[in-house]
Amino acid sequence: MIGVFRQKNPGNALILLIYAFVLKFPLFLHSTAPLKQEDDNYLYKLLLKTLAPFFGEQGFFYPLLAFLLLYLQASLLNRIANTIKLLPKPNYLFGMAFLLVSSLLPEWNQFSSTLLVNFALIWIWYGMVRWYNNQRAMGAIFNTSLLAGILPLLYTPSIGFVLMVILGIFITRPLRIGEFVVALIGYMAPFYFLLVVMYLTDNWHPEELIPSIQFHLPKLPESLWTTGGILLLVIPFLVGAFFVQDNLNKMLIQVRKNWSLLLLILLVGLIVILVNPGDNYQHWMLSVIPIACFHAAAYFYPNKKLFPLILHWLLFAFVMAINFITFAP
């Protein structure tokens, strides 16, 4: 399977879809409801209210929607990573790694606010990548910051990603105060427009948009399956990070900055874990994008192909076992 996804063939898109269906098949064994969390914010609640009259409170539609979103995220991440030449040769390892990583904890397969935030994070990362050497940086920064401002309106703890936008400017741009001001205006714009809509529709409840932020220690694993999933997140990530660091001198400056932005997303994602941690691991999903990219490096760089094969099939077997145990009737 590694050999197939190491190549960039047109038919691999179909193979990736089949691969996703095999990994996510347990999703369709139950008509699950969309996940509702205490930290869901106004836009996500509004979306669920809009969908409920058409598809009910639960049913086959929501697992199907979650599957489509996960597959689209894998395909989008793969396309962007190849476009910016994150690895020396184009491949489908990014999409494969994303599907594997997003299956290590079963709750990540449910339709939720964090799943939508994760989709937006891929676009935000791509937007930040395009800031480097951009002659029209103001517009690009505003658009990316505008999208980042929508995140906390879906899921409250993602307000921490404002830090990602600020540090992203430091990484990709020379120091210009005006760009930070534009980023701040773009970030606040979704709140402003939503408040205007609430006022004009006589639905003035601004307190619903104000994030309630608390810091706690992350939830400790309660089962061996969860512990195993976290270990299989971390170990391939460290292997991939070693290979990326080992090949850093061979990369263009822009590619190095792209990897730095991924580490920035991971850093902010770890901070978000401390914000309103709740009673599940949904907020951990916001670190999946950088982790999946480093997993892809762990499959791509080793000269001896036996190690990536063993690593892949170990993760694949674990994913199949935990998902069927969790979702089986």
Side-chain angles (χ1 to χ4, degrees):
M1 192 60 69
I2 295 292
V4 173
F5 287 125
R6 279 178 65 92
Q7 310 298 321
K8 192 177 185 298
N9 299 321
N12 279 4
L14 178 59
I15 297 175
L16 188 67
L17 177 61
I18 296 171
Y19 186 81
F21 183 75
V22 172
L23 285 176
K24 310 295 185 182
F25 178 74
L27 271 175
F28 303 104
L29 298 178
H30 292 287
S31 297
T32 55
L35 190 62
K36 297 178 181 178
Q37 306 173 85
E38 183 180 351
D39 294 320
D40 294 337
N41 211 343
Y42 185 85
L43 288 183
Y44 180 69
K45 294 176 181 178
L46 180 63
L47 176 63
L48 293 185
K49 288 179 182 178
T50 304
L51 293 175
F54 300 98
F55 304 104
E57 296 292 335
Q58 67 178 50
F60 181 78
F61 171 76
Y62 295 105
L64 177 62
L65 185 57
F67 172 80
L68 292 175
L69 284 172
L70 286 165
Y71 175 72
L72 288 173
Q73 288 180 50
S75 299
L76 180 62
L77 178 62
N78 195 86
R79 182 172 183 178
I80 291 173
N82 286 328
T83 299
I84 64 177
K85 299 179 179 176
L86 211 55
L87 291 176
K89 296 180 181 178
N91 57 75
Y92 274 82
L93 292 175
F94 295 100
M96 183 202 77
F98 180 88
L99 291 171
L100 270 177
V101 170
S102 63
S103 302
L104 286 172
L105 294 178
E107 56 259 48
W108 289 354
N109 292 318
Q110 291 180 265
F111 181 73
S112 63
S113 55
T114 47
L115 184 60
L116 297 175
V117 168
N118 204 57
F119 204 167
L121 275 176
I122 299 176
W123 285 110
I124 291 170
W125 171 55
Y126 185 49
M128 293 167 65
V129 163
R130 297 171 66 188
W131 292 351
Y132 181 72
N133 278 347
N134 193 329
Q135 300 302 317
R136 299 181 179 179
M138 289 288 195
I141 290 173
F142 178 84
N143 292 337
T144 306
S145 302
L146 181 71
L147 184 56
I150 296 175
L151 301 187
L153 296 177
L154 290 166
Y155 182 64
T156 301
S158 59
I159 192 173
F161 284 103
V162 65
L163 181 62
M164 175 192 69
V165 173
I166 295 172
L167 294 179
I169 297 175
F170 276 111
I171 291 173
T172 58
R173 304 290 305 164
L175 184 60
R176 294 190 179 102
I177 300 301
E179 293 180 354
F180 290 94
V181 174
V182 168
L184 181 61
I185 294 172
Y187 190 83
M188 296 303 298
F191 291 88
Y192 172 77
F193 287 117
L194 189 53
L195 286 171
V196 170
V197 171
M198 293 173 70
Y199 178 78
L200 294 177
T201 56
D202 198 23
N203 187 29
W204 182 250
H205 299 289
E207 67 280 358
E208 295 181 8
L209 304 184
I210 301 174
S212 175
I213 301 174
Q214 301 174 356
F215 287 89
H216 301 274
L217 292 175
K219 180 184 177 184
L220 295 176
E222 297 178 352
S223 72
L224 291 176
W225 287 108
T226 303
T227 304
I230 294 174
L231 285 175
L232 290 175
L233 278 174
V234 173
I235 294 173
F237 166 77
L238 295 176
V239 174
F242 169 80
F243 282 110
V244 169
Q245 178 65 30
D246 193 47
N247 289 272
L248 212 57
N249 291 333
K250 303 175 185 177
M251 299 178 186
L252 298 174
I253 295 176
Q254 185 168 356
V255 177
R256 295 181 199 173
K257 290 184 179 291
N258 296 342
W259 282 107
S260 298
L261 290 173
L262 284 172
L263 287 175
L264 175 60
I265 295 174
L266 177 62
L267 174 64
V268 177
L270 294 176
I271 295 174
V272 168
I273 290 175
L274 302 177
V275 181
N276 299 3
D279 57 357
N280 57 36
Y281 295 93
Q282 275 295 325
H283 52 304
W284 291 46
M285 189 181 189
L286 303 182
S287 301
V288 163
I289 296 167
I291 289 175
C293 289
F294 280 94
H295 275 226
Y299 297 128
F300 180 86
Y301 278 115
N303 293 323
K304 296 182 179 179
K305 306 307 178 188
L306 183 60
F307 173 75
L309 283 174
I310 294 174
L311 184 62
H312 167 262
W313 289 115
L314 177 63
L315 265 72
F316 185 88
F318 179 88
V319 166
M320 296 302 291
I322 191 173
N323 282 335
F324 272 100
I325 288 172
T326 303
F327 292 104

